[in-house]
Amino acid sequence: GERVMALLQGGGYGEYAVADAALVMTVPESLHMEEAACIPEALFTAWWNFFGLMHLKRDEFALIHGGTSGVGHLALQAMSALGYRVLATAGSDRKVKAAAGFGAYAAFSYKDTDLAAKVRDATDGAGISALLDMSAGAHIAADLEMMAPDGRIAHLSAGGGGTLGVPLKPLMAKRISITGSLLRPLALTRKSEIAAMIKRDVMPLFYGRVRPKIAAAFALEDAADAHREMEKGSHIGKILLQVSAS
């Protein structure tokens, strides 16, 4: 039968899952099924946040805090292949180098005390217009400093439900918008629009320009070990669970 992948509403750890037809995509012939499993959630997350929520334009600079994550490494590859200028941060020299390899316009350690200045320099002073943050606002002061006027920040992680302390003066001076989203409660009509964009613009890139990186693979019964590995934060790319076909 046809090889397909889909964005799920949950249940992805099961041998069978239900997905809405609008969110089902054909797996590119260039990829094996393990690679395909890495794609839907990551791409929908990136495309919804950058284009549905933050309305990134081609002449603007974007930045991803977490450029080697499951979402980040695919977004960097796909967006750079489409001509978008996306900078990235990561937590180690190894990851910064990897982010550059995934297509980052420039890549830096988020631990760098001069991060905002280096980002501004890399953008010739323009600053970042759309920032995707997986760090629960850990770098909010630097974020506001590096943002362009009318810039947008979207949060992917609530960091265990913590609050965000925002310096208001720079936010007001630049008219920065801070938002965030969860993919699962998003209306199907919006998810369908994102699916159509991905099918049209991104899926052709998997024939050469874009490839998921599998950092590690675990059997389904070892899911707890997979989560422990993810919590270490040392991986680059996606951690995969393999479901038996029997």
Side-chain angles (χ1 to χ4, degrees):
E2 185 183 8
R3 302 191 315 154
V4 296
M5 57 188 179
L7 180 71
L8 303 179
Q9 277 294 94
Y13 285 14
E15 292 185 52
Y16 296 91
V18 176
D20 192 280
L23 308 182
V24 175
M25 297 176 286
T26 301
V27 175
E29 294 172 5
S30 58
L31 301 182
H32 55 70
M33 291 301 288
E34 286 80 4
E35 290 172 315
C38 302
I39 293 171
E41 187 93 12
L43 276 188
F44 272 86
T45 299
W47 247 246
W48 160 246
N49 279 278
F50 275 120
F51 301 108
L53 195 58
M54 292 192 284
H55 306 290
L56 177 66
K57 300 176 182 66
R58 205 170 284 275
D59 62 348
E60 295 178 322
F61 286 98
L63 183 140
I64 299 173
H65 277 318
T68 60
S69 64
V71 172
H73 90 288
L74 274 175
L76 284 176
Q77 291 181 69
M79 292 171 70
S80 64
L82 291 169
Y84 290 93
R85 297 174 295 180
V86 189
L87 290 75
T89 67
S92 68
D93 291 343
R94 181 177 72 99
K95 288 186 174 184
V96 169
K97 185 176 180 180
F102 290 132
Y105 186 82
F108 305 101
S109 169
Y110 53 66
K111 300 171 185 174
D112 196 322
T113 54
D114 296 322
L115 176 62
K118 289 182 177 178
V119 168
R120 284 202 314 270
D121 287 347
T123 61
D124 291 326
I128 301 300
S129 293
L131 189 154
L132 188 61
D133 187 10
M134 306 178 207
S135 74
H139 320 289
I140 188 64
D143 293 345
L144 292 178
E145 193 180 335
M146 71 175 71
M147 295 302 287
D150 300 302
R152 292 83 69 196
I153 300 172
H155 287 274
L156 281 191
S157 169
T163 57
L164 182 66
V166 182
L168 285 175
K169 194 168 182 180
L171 178 143
M172 295 162 65
K174 294 184 182 179
R175 304 171 303 279
I176 304 301
S177 299
I178 298 180
T179 185
S181 67
L182 296 171
L183 200 55
R184 195 171 294 189
L186 195 64
L188 179 59
T189 52
R190 286 185 156 179
K191 287 180 182 172
S192 299
E193 291 168 4
I194 300 300
M197 289 178 64
I198 290 171
K199 289 173 184 176
R200 182 190 69 215
D201 298 332
V202 187
M203 296 313 291
L205 300 175
F206 286 101
Y207 293 91
R209 297 293 300 274
V210 178
R211 190 140 213 142
K213 179 173 177 59
I214 299 172
F218 292 83
L220 183 60
E221 55 266 32
D222 297 326
D225 291 332
H227 281 263
R228 278 188 281 270
E229 182 68 23
M230 188 160 64
E231 286 165 9
K232 290 179 187 175
S234 61
H235 65 285
I236 292 173
K238 273 282 195 180
I239 295 173
L240 186 72
L241 285 181
Q242 294 173 316
V243 181
S244 170
S246 60

